[in-house]
Amino acid sequence: MIKERLLSVEDICQYLGLSRDTVYKWIETKGLPAYRLGRLWKFKKEDVDKWLEQNAS
């Protein structure tokens, strides 16, 4: 069984080419799929890719 690695905020910033502020804003206002683990936000690349496809405009 292969576990999918969760991406950090830094990873997702680099992947999407966005600033940290924009990532946090998208979580709050646009529904960017993220998981809160304690005080850290984590992301599944597959979920983010699906969200991008559905919200591309």
Side-chain angles (χ1 to χ4, degrees):
M1 180 174 159
I2 298 174
K3 292 185 179 180
E4 182 181 356
R5 179 177 170 259
L6 294 175
L7 302 176
S8 67
V9 171
E10 292 80 18
D11 294 334
I12 214 69
C13 287
Q14 190 172 28
Y15 178 64
L16 298 176
L18 300 171
S19 70
R20 291 175 65 93
D21 289 341
T22 302
V23 169
Y24 290 127
K25 183 188 286 186
W26 283 15
I27 292 169
E28 286 184 31
T29 62
K30 296 189 177 191
L32 180 65
Y35 302 91
R36 187 117 193 210
L37 301 174
R39 62 184 192 96
L40 301 175
W41 286 101
K42 297 293 183 174
F43 305 84
K44 287 184 180 178
K45 184 178 177 291
E46 179 180 298
D47 292 347
V48 172
D49 288 339
K50 284 180 188 176
W51 181 85
L52 286 171
E53 286 178 20
Q54 293 172 348
N55 293 283
S57 52

